[in-house]
Amino acid sequence: MKSLEELKAIRDRVKNSVDIREDNSNKIRVVVGMATCGIAAGARNTLKAITDEIEARGLTNVKVSQTGCIGICKYEPIVDVILPGKEKVTYVHVDADRAKTIIANHVISGTPVEEFTYNYAVKH
């Protein structure tokens, strides 16, 4: 991603899937850390990969949103995935390839990618 205009285009493209005012209780939530540290680590590319993958797969039950600082800067880019009725899973060092794997395995199939998680990273 090379410009603010490109980021705005992404925002506009997924605007309908980011409305936090609607009832999202039955939706899968994907939250990307977009504070300065996340952006510096590549979170814009991560966000783009996630939204592109969701769009390419035609997923309508997924809400993507952005958040500020998550507080564990050395693990950026950070992505949280929250499936309805399940605990949040925090993924770390999420690049475009990891993002696609997370969408395929966790968001679609419901199986977290353990080796990409924060809990795995702090143990190894």
Side-chain angles (χ1 to χ4, degrees):
M1 188 167 325
K2 298 189 184 346
S3 69
L4 184 57
E5 289 77 28
E6 193 174 349
L7 185 59
K8 286 178 183 177
I10 293 168
R11 179 199 62 203
D12 292 342
R13 190 178 74 230
V14 296
K15 192 173 186 178
N16 292 333
S17 67
V18 182
D19 186 357
I20 61 173
R21 289 176 289 242
E22 70 179 64
D23 178 16
N24 292 323
S25 58
N26 292 321
K27 301 267 184 182
I28 297 168
R29 293 179 45 221
V30 178
V31 182
V32 182
M34 292 291 288
T36 306
C37 53
I39 292 169
R44 284 188 178 127
N45 290 333
T46 300
L47 176 62
K48 184 178 184 323
I50 289 168
T51 57
D52 287 351
E53 192 69 13
I54 288 169
E55 184 177 320
R57 292 174 177 266
L59 303 177
T60 58
N61 64 329
V62 180
K63 293 291 182 185
V64 178
S65 60
Q66 301 173 36
T67 191
C69 183
I70 296 174
I72 48 177
C73 301
K74 76 177 193 175
Y75 293 104
E76 293 284 358
I78 297 171
V79 175
D80 288 332
V81 175
I82 306 119
L83 275 59
K86 305 280 184 172
E87 287 193 35
K88 169 183 77 174
V89 176
T90 299
Y91 291 101
V92 298
H93 303 298
V94 182
D95 59 13
D97 291 333
R98 282 188 175 202
K100 291 176 185 178
T101 301
I102 291 165
I103 297 299
N105 291 318
H106 192 171
V107 172
I108 293 174
S109 299
T111 305
V113 185
E114 183 67 30
E115 63 271 20
F116 297 170
T117 65
Y118 173 75
N119 290 338
Y120 185 88
V122 297
K123 292 177 184 175
H124 294 93

